[in-house]
Amino acid sequence: MGDTKRQHYVPRSYLKRFSFDGTQLHTFLINKTCSTYYNEKDIHKVWKDISISDVCVSKDYYTMKSQTLKSGMSPLDLEKKFFHDYAEPRLSNIINTFDELAQDILKGKTDIASIQVTEEQRMSLIQAAFIQYFRSPRSRRPFVEIGSFIKQISELRQKERGLHINNFSELDVSYTHAYKTYANPFLFRSFAIKVSDYSMLIRVSENGNFFTSDNPVVIHKLGAKGKDILQINILRDEFSLFFPLTPHIILELYNPSFFPEAISMNNTISIVNKDYEDQVNRYQYVNAENFIFSYKNDFSLFLKTNKTNGQTENA
């Protein structure tokens, strides 16, 4: 098919907003087998600066196989037409809109203010959260597993018949993942219907250290880590959503039936303190797979310096 392409499953344009220099990210590496204690030398194994080009990226993540494409489609249409030309510019534009509001509310030190959110803006935010949630490797994993199973069965059958084991059609994981999840209009319609009456809140952190991660959209009780994405029922399951848009801004959606206190805050933008920032940052930590990013290079929420022995302790 040609040269292998490295493709981001979290947009570089989004990650750049959390970069301290436009090219690198202060990164906390999640390692489930890591030690509880670190000395100053070992801390760099989990806490380092990494180029945006080298995080949240995978080889041929969106590249479709030629044999599965309809007439006129290109193997790179998902990457170029769907993401580069449509989804990612739409996300950047809507973040810019709310970033301006956030800067105004911070300058004016306004605790809370009502905002006029048009239906188009609301839908842009909902769609951006939907796409980012389902384009993740966690969402893709079941299709990779199905593809591996199909390949194993096909190889076994062809071996039994004395045929060349390369002579079979593999599942196109990129295509199947796209059209079963983030590019599926029925699934998005179900998601949009579900959250149509949710309360939408924009929170602004004075501290400016909302974390993001390789799974930035946190949807509580929907597709939790370890749960098969194919078992999700958007219309049946109840959930709330958290999506950091910049180090200063986070989008939140609440079901008013379960969070009636959010009703009065629907379509508002409000300032939150560091305690609240820490709370949603913990959500990012729990939801992440491999990377947590901090604009301020402050991961003290997870790693505390023990001044008595000069070591760093995992919080």
Side-chain angles (χ1 to χ4, degrees):
M1 182 182 296
D3 294 336
T4 298
K5 289 185 64 67
R6 299 174 78 249
Q7 299 162 334
H8 280 72
Y9 49 83
V10 178
R12 281 174 292 183
S13 57
Y14 168 80
L15 292 173
K16 192 173 182 179
R17 296 177 184 273
F18 294 82
S19 170
F20 61 95
D21 66 353
T23 62
Q24 297 183 93
L25 294 154
H26 297 311
T27 305
F28 179 81
L29 299 172
I30 297 177
N31 185 344
K32 301 309 177 187
T33 62
C34 66
S35 171
T36 302
Y37 295 94
Y38 295 92
N39 56 37
E40 297 238 348
K41 180 180 179 181
D42 289 339
I43 194 65
H44 297 292
K45 294 178 181 178
V46 294
W47 190 336
K48 59 178 65 177
D49 294 341
I50 303 179
S51 169
I52 292 173
S53 299
D54 295 325
V55 296
C56 306
V57 66
S58 184
K59 293 179 180 178
D60 282 324
Y61 194 79
Y62 305 114
T63 306
M64 298 177 286
K65 299 181 185 301
S66 299
Q67 62 267 28
T68 65
L69 301 179
K70 297 178 182 179
S71 177
M73 289 184 69
S74 160
L76 296 179
D77 276 356
L78 283 174
E79 179 188 30
K80 293 183 177 179
K81 293 184 178 180
F82 186 81
F83 287 113
H84 184 268
D85 295 343
Y86 173 70
E88 292 175 8
R90 190 177 174 92
L91 172 61
S92 291
N93 289 338
I94 195 65
I95 291 178
N96 288 340
T97 297
F98 287 98
D99 192 31
E100 292 178 5
L101 289 173
Q103 296 307 318
D104 288 343
I105 198 172
L106 286 172
K107 287 178 183 177
K109 297 191 179 301
T110 307
D111 289 339
I112 183 170
S114 296
I115 51 177
Q116 296 296 321
V117 181
T118 68
E119 188 59 32
E120 182 181 0
Q121 289 172 335
R122 182 182 177 91
M123 192 57 61
S124 292
L125 284 168
I126 290 171
Q127 186 183 43
F130 170 87
I131 290 173
Q132 185 55 59
Y133 179 76
F134 281 105
R135 75 191 282 190
S136 70
R138 186 178 302 160
S139 170
R140 181 187 177 93
R141 195 168 296 132
F143 304 104
V144 174
E145 293 171 353
I146 291 170
S148 297
F149 177 74
I150 291 173
K151 181 178 180 179
Q152 290 173 8
I153 295 300
S154 298
E155 287 179 345
L156 179 61
R157 288 181 177 175
Q158 294 199 12
K159 186 176 180 180
E160 290 173 347
R161 297 172 184 173
L163 302 174
H164 293 294
I165 62 173
N166 291 326
N167 187 28
F168 65 88
S169 297
E170 296 183 56
L171 176 72
D172 189 335
V173 173
S174 297
Y175 179 93
T176 306
H177 175 213
Y179 290 100
K180 290 292 185 181
T181 59
Y182 62 82
N184 184 313
F186 174 77
L187 188 64
F188 174 64
R189 199 157 50 240
S190 299
F191 186 82
I193 290 171
K194 179 71 175 183
V195 301
S196 61
D197 61 349
Y198 273 35
S199 297
M200 176 179 286
L201 287 64
I202 303 294
R203 307 279 203 176
V204 182
S205 167
E206 287 185 298
N207 187 47
N209 193 38
F210 281 132
F211 293 169
T212 193
S213 72
D214 50 4
N215 274 313
V217 179
V218 179
I219 305 186
H220 279 313
K221 299 184 179 180
L222 182 71
K225 190 184 294 187
K227 183 176 180 180
D228 191 334
I229 204 80
L230 300 177
Q231 296 176 359
I232 286 175
N233 187 320
I234 285 175
L235 292 176
R236 178 197 64 206
D237 296 343
E238 302 299 337
F239 55 86
S240 51
L241 181 149
F242 301 85
F243 183 15
L245 304 179
T246 75
H248 280 285
I249 315 169
I250 189 168
L251 165 70
E252 301 178 358
L253 293 174
Y254 294 96
N255 186 331
S257 299
F258 291 86
F259 297 94
E261 64 274 16
I263 296 175
S264 62
M265 296 188 69
N266 185 36
N267 290 344
T268 62
I269 185 167
S270 57
I271 295 177
V272 295
N273 59 25
K274 188 177 184 301
D275 288 341
Y276 190 88
E277 183 185 76
D278 286 347
Q279 178 182 327
V280 294
N281 282 347
R282 288 188 180 94
Y283 298 162
Q284 283 294 316
Y285 178 76
V286 171
N287 199 55
E289 292 284 337
N290 299 300
F291 306 108
I292 298 287
F293 308 114
S294 163
Y295 177 77
K296 287 194 169 183
N297 200 25
D298 181 4
F299 299 104
S300 58
L301 187 62
F302 311 126
L303 295 174
K304 306 291 186 181
T305 301
N306 187 332
K307 296 182 179 179
T308 60
N309 58 16
Q311 292 179 317
T312 304
E313 184 178 349
N314 198 357

